[in-house]
Amino acid sequence: MSSSDLIDSFGRRITYLRLSVTDRCDLRCTYCMPERMEFLPRKDVLSLEELRDLSLGFMERGITKIRLTGGEPLVRRDVIDLITALGRFVGSGLDELTLTTNGTQLAAHAQRIADAGVRRINISLDTLDRETFIRLSRRDALASVLGGISAAKAAGLKVKLNTVAMKGINEHEIPALIEWAHGEGHDLTLIETMPLGEIDEDRTDQFLPLVAVREVLEQRWTLTDSEHRTCGPSRYVDVRETGGRLGFITPLTNNFCAGCNRIRVTATGQLYPCLGGGEMVDLRAALRSADPDRNLAEALDTAMRIKPERHDFRIGEGEAPAVARPMSTTGG
Ligand code: SAM
Ligand code: SF4
């Protein structure tokens, strides 16, 4: 691949790759996918070697942070081998290797993930109540997730919890979740539900604007804007009373695209330069071509040309999803 950095037509330097290793998952979160989800054919999914080669190619083009995601990355059998292979570059080529997981399988893997060079990990946790967890994810797995979170902590991983705020579902539990997370020493980020993919329910019913959540929290606690930044779109506040940090990801109510430094690659090698757009380049075709180096370089140049300025998410009655593919396909 060419050694030139990835800079899009709006002058944004792309340094952060979110790489989906599978679109499959052991949960069925209602905001993410329908119960009867159709997954991508296995033959189309990139092999471990292809995922590794692609990652190395991206590093040559200036990617310094890789987040493995999915679907659920830990349901892919050889994912620990990929983490180990990429972990060797942490500190020499990569500033950070991390992953986003639902935590169900984490208890078995946390130590190896930490040993491979991962320092921080995002774990999704929308509720601490077993019945609400079953309602939200359609599976009875809260105990495994909580076991995964403590295993990550015991392995020395810095944990950040992600919570999708859902009207009338976990809305009233949000302060308790924050208190619990901060008590355990974890940051927590609240996320607005995004219109990605067809689901069984109506997103208008689920959508809870985080500006309203913040107002409610401010009646209870003192929130001070924080300078803390990660590579992602989260904006943070410090919560004086709990001593912890709280993030807000507000794609609907407060667009964050101007500072976008990210691209996403699906498990089948499709590069989506924007989570909320249909623009795509096919890296698998390039990877499997007669001249992969040249074709990959060209594909990445194309991706930089077509990356849109911003997403245009809207949630309202009768609105179709902004993009048809779910978050679990593009990689959250
Ligand atoms: N399975 C892993 C997990 O749940 O953490 C990783 C993939 S999941 C697609 C990544 C993140 O996207 C999770 O925090 C999940 O809650 C969030 N997510 C999924 N669908 C979403 C949607 N429509 N709107 C907002 N967040 C969503
Ligand atoms: Fe699976 Fe994550 Fe989607 Fe939930 S949000 S269904 S855990 S991919």
Side-chain angles (χ1 to χ4, degrees):
M1 275 198 202
S2 133
S3 59
S4 59
D5 284 354
L6 298 172
I7 299 176
D8 76 1
S9 50
F10 302 95
R12 295 173 295 194
R13 184 179 295 274
I14 308 303
T15 54
Y16 182 4
L17 168 66
R18 294 195 178 188
L19 180 59
S20 172
V21 299
T22 177
D23 67 323
R24 286 160 201 267
C25 189
D26 52 351
L27 301 183
R28 292 288 182 282
C29 302
T30 55
Y31 51 78
C32 181
M33 55 173 86
E35 171 65 78
R36 289 170 186 283
M37 178 71 180
E38 268 188 44
F39 295 110
L40 301 166
R42 278 185 206 276
K43 66 173 177 36
D44 293 347
V45 171
L46 298 186
S47 68
L48 177 76
E49 291 70 28
E50 287 173 322
L51 289 167
R52 189 200 53 211
D53 290 351
L54 205 53
S55 302
L56 299 186
F58 273 110
M59 285 159 55
E60 281 178 25
R61 296 289 302 262
I63 290 290
T64 55
K65 173 168 174 170
I66 299 179
R67 175 177 300 281
L68 302 180
T69 179
E72 173 46 41
L74 296 181
V75 303
R76 181 163 171 158
R77 225 173 302 133
D78 53 7
V79 71
I80 298 294
D81 297 336
L82 180 65
I83 296 171
T84 306
L86 296 180
R88 297 198 183 101
F89 296 94
V90 174
S92 58
L94 267 188
D95 292 341
E96 185 167 31
L97 174 67
T98 182
L99 68 154
T100 301
T101 172
N102 65 24
T104 58
Q105 322 268 326
L106 193 53
H109 298 302
Q111 192 58 57
R112 286 177 71 195
I113 291 171
D115 292 346
V118 173
R119 297 286 162 259
R120 301 187 307 149
I121 188 166
N122 286 2
I123 307 174
S124 301
L125 182 71
D126 298 327
T127 179
L128 287 167
D129 177 73
R130 184 177 168 199
E131 294 306 321
T132 311
F133 190 97
I134 295 171
R135 185 172 162 209
L136 259 174
S137 72
R138 303 187 182 106
R139 300 291 184 270
D140 187 4
L142 178 62
S144 316
V145 174
L146 294 178
I149 294 172
S150 24
K153 185 175 172 180
L157 291 164
K158 175 85 185 129
V159 172
K160 185 178 73 109
L161 299 175
N162 281 340
T163 303
V164 177
M166 310 274 289
K167 189 159 65 180
I169 300 177
N170 63 358
E171 180 175 0
H172 301 294
E173 215 195 316
I174 288 174
L177 263 166
I178 297 168
E179 254 170 357
W180 182 82
H182 290 178
E184 291 287 315
H186 309 317
D187 291 353
L188 183 144
T189 289
L190 297 169
I191 306 175
E192 284 174 351
T193 168
M194 291 174 243
L196 302 171
E198 293 290 349
I199 53 172
D200 293 336
E201 307 186 4
D202 185 344
R203 288 197 193 274
T204 325
D205 296 342
Q206 298 181 338
F207 180 61
L208 179 61
L210 291 183
V211 273
V213 175
R214 183 170 172 154
E215 279 171 17
V216 171
L217 294 175
E218 277 176 329
Q219 288 165 19
R220 173 187 293 252
W221 291 321
T222 318
L223 309 186
T224 319
D225 287 334
S226 160
E227 290 303 308
H228 179 74
R229 291 279 181 277
T230 54
C231 283
S234 205
R235 292 294 166 264
Y236 289 91
V237 296
D238 293 315
V239 183
R240 193 201 294 155
E241 290 77 1
T242 61
R245 201 153 44 206
L246 173 65
F248 294 90
I249 298 185
T250 54
L252 276 293
T253 55
N254 187 8
N255 183 282
F256 44 62
C257 300
C260 187
N261 58 355
R262 294 174 288 287
I263 45 174
R264 295 161 200 265
V265 176
T266 70
T268 50
Q270 290 161 340
L271 187 163
Y272 285 98
C274 175
L275 176 65
E279 302 80 2
M280 183 275 282
V281 290
D282 184 3
L283 302 185
R284 189 184 54 191
L287 260 181
R288 294 180 182 176
S289 70
D291 190 354
D293 283 356
R294 208 190 82 203
N295 290 327
L296 273 170
E298 273 177 23
L300 295 188
D301 292 340
T302 305
M304 290 305 97
R305 271 198 307 279
I306 64 174
K307 184 171 164 66
E309 188 174 11
R310 51 176 292 160
H311 67 240
D312 185 22
F313 288 146
R314 271 185 299 246
I315 289 187
E317 231 168 290
E319 281 296 345
V323 290
R325 55 181 198 282
M327 185 85 132
S328 60
T329 304
T330 322

